[in-house]
Amino acid sequence: MSAIGVIGGTGVYDPSIFENIHEESLMTPYGEIDYVQGTYKGKTVIFVARHGKDHTIPPHKINYRANIWGLKKLGVKFIISTTAVGSLNKNFEPGHFVLTDQFLDFTKNRITTFYEGGDRPVAHLDVTNPYCPELREIIETVGKEHNLSIHNGGTYVCTEGPRFETPAEIKMFHMLGGDTVGMTNVPEVNLANEAEMAYTTISMITNYAAGISENALTHGEVVEMMGEMASQLKALILGTIEAIDMAANYAAHHRMAEYGGFKL
Ligand code: HPA
């Protein structure tokens, strides 16, 4: 049976927005994952807290491959992920939502692929459209129905973390075309695409990035803003789940056709 995956980022740990929930774990070739299975409007939903349910896993230690492999194994066809981000773009204000459509990868020490040779031979993922355009359109429509400030499109800069950025780095990212900055979207987006799931990210602007904001950044302010946006995010996620056509067949679902498709 097909399912919808929800990957909750910072501030998004509560799967009780879904119905019939129960906690489970699954062993994958990359390690064990914990998840919550539930339903919404008759659709199966699998929820994974990216940083663990108590926010104990930092961005550079997340087991991205286990999370994505696990979602695939559990029948997920569509992934809605959430990320807290800083803004480099004066039009993207704290409290706004951005449906990221491109990324700039500044990570340093992460395993970025399932295709490491052997059972999975060399493969070169096409990332012309890394964030499923059809899913982004659905989310944008739901967001507008709820009168949210939502931008469809924006370039996400992924840093290694766990530290925040220097103002000099933010200036450079801005010159390179970055709109938002966070620490977790890469390699998650690429692994999801290798596993032929339609993937999208709802980025929540929690702050202006270092140097744009006059104040020093704190994790506390990120979490506080996430709290303020929680009810809007809930409406966005639930409305999107309701609107997804489980039979939809997007380009993302056969992205690896050239390599014989993704096999578990
Ligand atoms: N930088 C990196 N990650 C973030 C930020 C930021 O300013 N805000 C929320 N996550």
Side-chain angles (χ1 to χ4, degrees):
M1 192 181 42
S2 297
I4 296 172
V6 175
I7 303 179
T10 295
V12 185
Y13 316 109
D14 183 9
S16 68
I17 62 172
F18 308 119
E19 296 148 6
N20 310 309
I21 55 172
H22 49 101
E23 288 186 29
E24 301 279 353
S25 58
L26 174 74
M27 187 49 91
T28 79
Y30 307 99
E32 198 173 41
I33 63 161
D34 295 323
Y35 66 95
V36 174
Q37 182 159 342
T39 60
Y40 185 69
K41 301 273 179 191
K43 292 173 178 159
T44 301
V45 182
I46 309 288
F47 176 84
V48 173
R50 187 188 286 121
H51 296 279
K53 55 183 181 221
D54 303 314
H55 199 101
T56 48
I57 312 169
H60 61 296
K61 294 279 189 190
I62 292 166
N63 194 341
Y64 295 99
R65 290 201 297 189
N67 288 345
I68 295 298
W69 194 97
L71 291 178
K72 182 74 178 179
K73 178 81 177 168
L74 293 165
V76 166
K77 256 184 98 175
F78 310 91
I79 298 179
I80 306 163
S81 77
T82 76
T83 51
V85 293
S87 174
L88 284 64
N89 178 336
K90 286 257 155 74
N91 296 322
F92 291 2
E93 298 172 23
H96 288 192
F97 293 87
V98 180
L99 304 174
T100 301
D101 70 337
Q102 291 288 308
F103 65 76
L104 290 167
D105 180 7
F106 279 86
T107 62
K108 294 175 181 149
N109 286 310
R110 301 183 186 188
I111 300 171
T112 58
T113 181
F114 288 113
Y115 288 84
E116 296 197 298
D119 285 354
R120 288 193 204 283
V122 177
H124 302 286
L125 178 72
D126 167 45
V127 276
T128 307
N129 274 312
Y131 301 88
C132 178
E134 295 91 345
L135 278 186
R136 282 193 285 114
E137 215 171 292
I138 293 172
I139 300 172
E140 183 187 17
T141 304
V142 174
K144 293 208 162 131
E145 279 164 12
H146 286 86
N147 292 319
L148 304 185
S149 301
I150 187 160
H151 307 271
N152 190 352
T155 297
Y156 174 107
V157 179
C158 195
T159 66
E160 183 66 15
R163 66 168 175 83
F164 288 122
E165 303 71 37
T166 63
E169 287 170 327
I170 292 299
K171 202 165 157 189
M172 172 183 75
F173 295 149
H174 182 64
M175 287 165 67
L176 293 176
D179 294 301
T180 60
V181 60
M183 304 174 192
T184 54
N185 220 229
V186 182
E188 189 175 275
V189 57
N190 298 328
L191 294 166
N193 279 308
E194 283 187 350
E196 298 187 305
M197 292 178 279
Y199 178 94
T200 186
T201 293
I202 301 172
S203 290
M204 285 161 289
I205 310 273
T206 54
N207 57 282
Y208 281 117
I212 299 177
S213 162
E214 280 155 24
N215 309 319
L217 298 183
T218 64
H219 181 62
E221 78 182 90
V222 170
V223 173
E224 194 182 318
M225 180 53 92
M226 288 296 306
E228 285 175 30
M229 297 175 78
S231 65
Q232 296 180 331
L233 178 68
K234 175 179 166 184
L236 203 47
I237 291 177
L238 294 181
T240 301
I241 291 172
E242 192 173 353
I244 287 175
D245 170 7
M246 296 306 287
N249 189 10
Y250 300 142
H253 293 123
H254 31 89
R255 201 177 284 262
M256 303 306 280
E258 194 181 351
Y259 303 99
F262 182 81
K263 293 177 192 70
L264 281 166

